[in-house]
Amino acid sequence: MDFFIVKFLSSLVKVLDTLSGRDRITKILQYGAKILSYFLERRKQFLNKHLLEATDAMILMDKNLFNFSKQNNLISIGLNRTQKFESSISDARKVFRFFKSIGSLLDVYQFFIKVILPNYFSRFLKQNGANTTTNQKTVVGATVSPPKIKITDFLKVIQKILLSIYILYDHASWFAKVGLFSDVKSIKAKTIWQRLFNNSRTKDYSDYACKMWFISMIFTVLADLFEFIDVFIDEIKLLNEQLDCLRVDGSAIDKSEQQLKDSLEAKENKMRDITNRKNQITRNLIKNVADLGVSGNGGFKVWNLNNAVVGFCGCLSAFVGLYESWPKP
């Protein structure tokens, strides 16, 4: 038992050493507090229903009503503290996301340099009669022979752009909340900078951020679905190849036992890789669909979920991410 605890704590320390690990654990705390606040709110409503028509004299005389009154006061205090805790954790996670958009924008830049430009120059050379198959010249750090562009690549690039905009609005929300922008009210603002960067627009920044997050999650889920379909097609093809190796008929090519064994072993390794990819995409789908549920509840208000459902979705996404970053034995 002691060995298990030490091993668990060692893994936890490794996770906490990373920024993503700390963000996922604080995300569990944030959305766990949201679930707790839902049940406290429900209990408070139940108690208020019984105390609504009761007078002060009845509360003092009736033991149950007196206990209800005490519980109601304690739950109000607990609910207030839980909401403050959730808000503080949310602000802390905004700090964790500082400069996170730089990585997404670099990925977009690399996509255009390594994928879009080679394809553009390849078409340009073909139109001018250049032989791109034999002449592999280098263009902006990549060969003229262009990499194949998939629809998932475009979906991921759009998602990264939207995610970067979401993070920028998220930063603006935090800056406005701590009072780093102009204190002049938007109506009385004299310059465009005072209108754009204004401490009174905290809610506007949060709404814009949530809208960008929701749209980016739609593209993320679509990319995951296309990747899952591609992996499923690869799996079917590989299963057919394995059957072809095992099929023996009059037209089959004779193979030695060792050749057949090597071929099957290579295909088993490929199948193992495909299974790992499929499991990874499945986890991504669960995590991203859960985040889609959270993001759709704010900004555009696509649906109106209670705090328990939102908290469950947030915790589910965090636990899946924590599982992926947990050190493997």
Side-chain angles (χ1 to χ4, degrees):
M1 184 66 180
D2 292 340
F3 174 74
F4 172 77
I5 294 174
V6 171
K7 190 176 180 181
F8 172 79
L9 291 176
S10 299
S11 299
L12 182 61
V13 169
K14 290 179 181 177
V15 171
L16 290 173
D17 282 340
T18 63
L19 182 60
S20 60
R22 289 195 297 274
D23 180 63
R24 282 157 184 164
I25 289 175
T26 50
K27 186 177 182 179
I28 292 171
L29 294 176
Q30 177 190 350
Y31 286 98
K34 192 175 282 290
I35 295 173
L36 179 60
S37 67
Y38 169 79
F39 287 106
L40 288 175
E41 184 67 35
R42 289 292 299 272
R43 181 62 180 173
K44 185 180 178 181
Q45 291 173 359
F46 171 78
L47 295 174
N48 286 336
K49 183 180 178 182
H50 287 77
L51 295 170
L52 187 62
E53 298 178 355
T55 62
D56 293 340
M58 290 174 62
I59 292 173
L60 291 173
M61 292 175 62
D62 193 320
K63 186 177 179 180
N64 289 331
L65 287 176
F66 182 70
N67 290 334
F68 281 174
S69 179
K70 288 175 63 178
Q71 285 183 38
N72 191 41
N73 292 333
L74 291 173
I75 286 174
S76 297
I77 294 171
L79 182 61
N80 183 47
R81 291 179 179 177
T82 303
Q83 290 173 344
K84 285 183 178 178
F85 175 79
E86 179 198 340
S87 178
S88 299
I89 293 293
S90 176
D91 291 339
R93 293 187 63 229
K94 292 179 190 293
V95 178
F96 289 162
R97 289 192 286 268
F98 274 9
F99 311 113
K100 192 176 179 180
S101 58
I102 295 175
S104 298
L105 293 175
L106 281 176
D107 291 338
V108 174
Y109 171 78
Q110 292 292 337
F111 175 78
F112 278 96
I113 291 298
K114 294 183 177 180
V115 179
I116 299 297
L117 285 183
N119 276 274
Y120 170 77
F121 280 107
S122 176
R123 287 197 299 270
F124 175 78
L125 292 175
K126 283 180 180 179
Q127 290 173 359
N128 288 272
N131 188 355
T132 58
T133 58
T134 58
N135 186 15
Q136 297 289 325
K137 294 183 180 178
T138 301
V139 179
V140 198
T143 58
V144 171
S145 181
K148 186 179 179 182
I149 302 179
K150 297 181 180 179
I151 188 171
T152 53
D153 296 329
F154 281 108
L155 291 173
K156 287 180 179 179
V157 166
I158 296 171
Q159 180 263 340
K160 288 180 184 298
I161 294 172
L162 292 170
L163 196 62
S164 299
I165 299 172
Y166 150 68
I167 292 173
L168 291 175
Y169 272 120
D170 195 55
H171 293 348
S173 172
W174 185 85
F175 290 146
K177 190 170 185 179
V178 298
L180 296 180
F181 289 157
S182 174
D183 288 325
V184 180
K185 291 184 179 180
S186 299
I187 301 174
K188 297 181 179 179
K190 297 180 180 179
T191 65
I192 189 171
W193 297 108
Q194 288 180 338
R195 293 192 192 95
L196 291 176
F197 304 104
N198 198 291
N199 291 331
S200 63
R201 299 190 62 195
T202 305
K203 190 177 183 305
D204 293 337
Y205 299 140
S206 297
D207 287 343
Y208 291 145
C210 206
K211 289 175 181 178
M212 292 299 104
W213 185 26
F214 176 72
I215 300 172
S216 70
M217 292 315 301
I218 290 176
F219 282 97
T220 306
V221 171
L222 286 175
D224 289 338
L225 288 173
F226 278 108
E227 282 188 339
F228 190 86
I229 292 171
D230 290 340
V231 170
F232 181 73
I233 292 172
D234 291 342
E235 186 178 23
I236 296 298
K237 288 179 180 178
L238 190 57
L239 285 172
N240 290 331
E241 290 177 6
Q242 287 179 327
L243 289 175
D244 290 338
C245 288
L246 296 173
R247 188 180 295 118
V248 178
D249 55 28
S251 61
I253 299 174
D254 293 333
K255 289 184 178 180
S256 66
E257 185 177 347
Q258 185 61 39
Q259 287 178 326
L260 183 61
K261 184 178 179 181
D262 292 342
S263 178
L264 288 174
E265 187 176 351
K267 285 177 172 47
E268 284 177 2
N269 291 332
K270 287 183 181 179
M271 181 60 73
R272 197 176 297 112
D273 293 338
I274 287 175
T275 303
N276 291 335
R277 282 170 55 204
K278 188 166 67 174
N279 292 338
Q280 177 65 51
I281 295 170
T282 303
R283 288 194 296 269
N284 288 342
L285 268 173
I286 295 171
K287 179 175 63 177
N288 293 328
V289 168
D291 282 334
L292 183 67
V294 176
S295 59
N297 202 56
F300 289 115
K301 301 290 184 185
V302 180
W303 38 72
N304 187 21
L305 305 177
N306 59 49
N307 281 341
V309 177
V310 173
F312 172 77
C313 290
C315 288
L316 177 62
S317 172
F319 275 117
V320 173
L322 193 61
Y323 171 80
E324 291 178 341
S325 61
W326 197 264
K328 299 298 184 289

